[in-house]
Amino acid sequence: MIKANNPDITSWISVDKHSDFPIQNLPFGIYTDASVKHHACSAIGNYIIDLYELAKRGYLADVKLDAELFNQPVLNDFIALGKSTTRALRDKLSDIFNSNNQHLKNNSDDAQAVLKLQTDVKMLMPVRVGDYTDFYSSIDHATNIGTMIRDPKNALMPNWKHIPVGYHGRSSSICISGEPVYRPKGQMKPADAEVPVYGPCKLLDFELETAFIIGKSTQLSESVSTEAADDYIFGMVLFNDWSARDIQTWEYVPLGPFLAKNFASTISPWIVTLDALEPYRTKGYVQEPKVLPYLEYTGDKNVDIKLEVAIVPENNIETIVCKSNYKYMYWTMEQQLAHHTVNGCNINVGDMMASGTISGPQPIEYGSMMELSWRGTKPVKMNDGTERKFINDNDTVIMRGYCDNGKVRIGFGESKAKVLPAK
Ligand code: CA
């Protein structure tokens, strides 16, 4: 067992039982405030842990990490040190905040410099994302979309159960939680129109996804096996892959998603390490037909992450419109990475690979408005008495995710963004 994952450890910081950040989580991020431009941090309870201050004050001497490593705008250099180092730091943080260790607690000047309330700081993009790939790996999502836009009898394309289908997205428009999203404009062809029109997208949607972040680079022509994949995956974030359905319908044949997808994606700010997620691993789908040998894997490689999506209009009356789970993924992260690199495509630290919309079998588990409102034919009832087919201007979309095995609950925080009218 990874030392920091020990469910019996408690902290001298009091942590609410519903908190996303018990001592067993210790995720990584980057924050700023009035006095700090950008420092790497972790989280515990309601606090961030300033890793630069911790290192500068000598608390990380055992793990031999220089404070300057944590005084950078992104975590790429830290992550690139590899799992043995990042794991050692998580273990060290677990020691420092263990209720049996009063060292930092008793040094109030140090504790004050290291701990800041999460509500007093602003989180920044945690990594520089070189390349971004989006998969399409939830069988319920792919079946729903195929049923709606093609043929219920042949909802899945012939390749779907053989290949973790994906496309290359655009990293420049990946945003951190809290940044607003402007309704995109573009070209659409309404069903009753003879010719295409240009204007603000009318069918703006979210896609409930997670993304994993590459923690180890490869050379061109090198492949990563499913067995080795976990060593290349640093951690995960929540990922809202904003989608303009009307732009998508008109543009996507034959080369797939383009401007309908690349105007914005919103991530949660904390990278929850794959290490911290290990206790929540669960069985994957039985894959039938059998996959090719390079996609075979052993062990429990899915993860039980409870996910939800809320829509909050300007009146602040929240409605949870979706409750899904990452365990519904047909293709695992390890298979996605093995497939992505099987041709020798190289990957770099900080690259982001998103899951694809995560839908479950029940209607409340559908991970997009496209599915929840069944292409606009079944409006979703909101708690304020209104209805939604898609997302309105000034709606805020919040995604949340957490794991809970009855012993320890760890969470991701939120991916949150307000939709503003088209510019
Ligand atoms: Ca997507």
Side-chain angles (χ1 to χ4, degrees):
M1 183 170 62
I2 294 162
K3 204 176 130 198
N5 290 354
N6 182 345
D8 299 327
I9 297 175
T10 56
S11 175
W12 49 266
I13 300 271
S14 84
V15 180
D16 185 89
K17 66 178 191 290
H18 299 296
S19 170
D20 282 347
F21 308 110
I23 194 165
Q24 287 80 7
N25 190 348
L26 300 171
F28 294 101
I30 299 280
Y31 86 94
T32 187
D33 67 7
S35 60
V36 169
K37 193 172 172 203
H38 41 62
H39 282 175
C41 58
S42 185
I44 189 161
N46 295 330
Y47 297 93
I48 65 109
I49 302 166
D50 186 319
L51 298 176
Y52 173 79
E53 289 293 341
L54 210 51
K56 202 177 75 176
R57 289 157 196 269
Y59 289 86
L60 304 181
D62 300 357
V63 284
K64 300 190 172 56
L65 291 174
D66 187 77
E68 282 309 311
L69 185 64
F70 303 114
N71 187 20
Q72 297 185 22
V74 286
L75 293 167
N76 295 55
D77 288 353
F78 165 64
I79 294 170
L81 295 174
K83 284 225 177 171
S84 59
T85 304
T86 56
R87 188 172 293 164
L89 176 60
R90 233 180 114 249
D91 286 347
K92 185 67 198 172
L93 293 174
S94 175
D95 279 346
I96 294 170
F97 290 93
N98 189 312
S99 42
N100 299 330
N101 182 349
Q102 306 284 306
H103 184 49
L104 176 62
K105 185 186 181 183
N106 291 341
N107 206 324
S108 63
D109 281 358
D110 287 352
Q112 220 166 10
V114 165
L115 293 164
K116 294 179 177 178
L117 280 170
Q118 288 182 21
T119 47
D120 288 347
V121 306
K122 183 172 181 263
M123 298 301 292
L124 303 173
M125 270 297 287
V127 283
R128 186 176 49 253
V129 184
D131 281 299
Y132 154 56
T133 301
D134 193 24
F135 285 93
Y136 188 57
S137 290
S138 147
I139 193 166
D140 291 297
H141 174 68
T143 304
N144 285 340
I145 298 295
T147 300
M148 266 185 270
I149 66 174
R150 277 193 312 276
D151 170 12
K153 289 197 193 75
N154 295 293
L156 296 179
M157 294 297 277
N159 62 3
W160 200 88
K161 287 187 170 177
H162 298 276
I163 292 176
V165 172
Y167 70 95
H168 287 125
R170 187 141 177 104
S171 55
S172 65
S173 54
I174 297 176
C175 309
I176 192 74
S177 179
E179 275 183 45
V181 167
Y182 288 91
R183 180 174 296 272
K185 293 169 292 189
Q187 197 179 124
M188 298 149 277
K189 188 171 172 296
D192 54 355
E194 286 288 308
V195 291
V197 298
Y198 163 83
C201 138
K202 291 194 171 64
L203 310 181
L204 180 62
D205 203 351
F206 60 79
E207 288 191 333
L208 170 61
E209 304 194 18
T210 60
F212 65 85
I213 289 146
I214 294 300
K216 185 173 173 180
S217 303
T218 61
Q219 299 295 316
L220 197 59
S221 81
E222 198 183 324
S223 302
V224 177
S225 66
T226 54
E227 203 177 340
D230 286 350
D231 203 32
Y232 291 79
I233 301 172
F234 176 65
M236 293 175 77
V237 293
L238 304 175
F239 193 98
N240 180 355
D241 186 24
W242 293 98
S243 298
R245 299 300 181 196
D246 36 7
I247 296 174
Q248 185 178 1
T249 309
W250 176 228
E251 75 171 4
Y252 87 103
V253 177
L255 288 186
F258 187 30
L259 304 182
K261 300 281 187 172
N262 70 3
F263 59 95
S265 302
T266 305
I267 65 164
S268 55
W270 295 105
I271 306 176
V272 176
T273 61
L274 203 61
D275 279 357
L277 293 166
E278 281 304 326
Y280 308 96
R281 290 282 195 173
T282 185
K283 268 198 191 5
Y285 264 86
V286 176
Q287 296 179 324
E288 193 53 53
K290 201 159 137 46
V291 297
L292 284 169
Y294 80 93
L295 290 169
E296 286 175 356
Y297 68 94
T298 52
D300 291 349
K301 289 296 176 191
N302 225 326
V303 192
D304 181 356
I305 307 172
K306 296 156 194 21
L307 300 166
E308 67 177 37
V309 184
I311 300 176
V312 187
E314 274 200 302
N315 59 23
N316 265 327
I317 302 174
E318 173 177 313
T319 305
I320 292 173
V321 294
C322 162
K323 278 175 174 286
S324 187
N325 195 307
Y326 183 77
K327 72 182 178 190
Y328 294 132
M329 293 280 287
Y330 186 87
W331 296 102
T332 68
M333 288 181 273
E334 292 77 8
Q335 291 180 308
Q336 290 172 335
L337 189 54
H339 183 66
H340 203 309
T341 57
V342 74
N343 64 346
C345 171
N346 51 333
I347 52 170
N348 288 302
V349 169
D351 286 357
M352 215 170 258
M353 301 197 179
S355 56
T357 309
I358 305 162
S359 296
Q362 302 303 321
I364 186 66
E365 296 170 323
Y366 295 173
S368 65
M369 291 304 285
M370 177 83 168
E371 296 162 271
L372 289 164
S373 77
W374 208 255
R375 226 180 174 181
T377 60
K378 297 177 183 168
V380 173
K381 296 224 176 324
M382 301 279 289
N383 290 334
D384 65 0
T386 62
E387 291 181 335
R388 289 292 180 286
K389 294 175 180 171
F390 289 90
I391 301 299
N392 291 355
D393 285 346
N394 301 310
D395 281 351
T396 298
V397 174
I398 305 175
M399 295 181 175
R400 306 185 184 101
Y402 69 95
C403 306
D404 189 349
N405 58 7
K407 282 184 248 162
V408 177
R409 175 200 196 279
I410 68 168
F412 284 78
E414 291 181 341
S415 152
K416 176 176 179 175
K418 183 173 180 175
V419 173
L420 299 180
K423 263 192 182 168

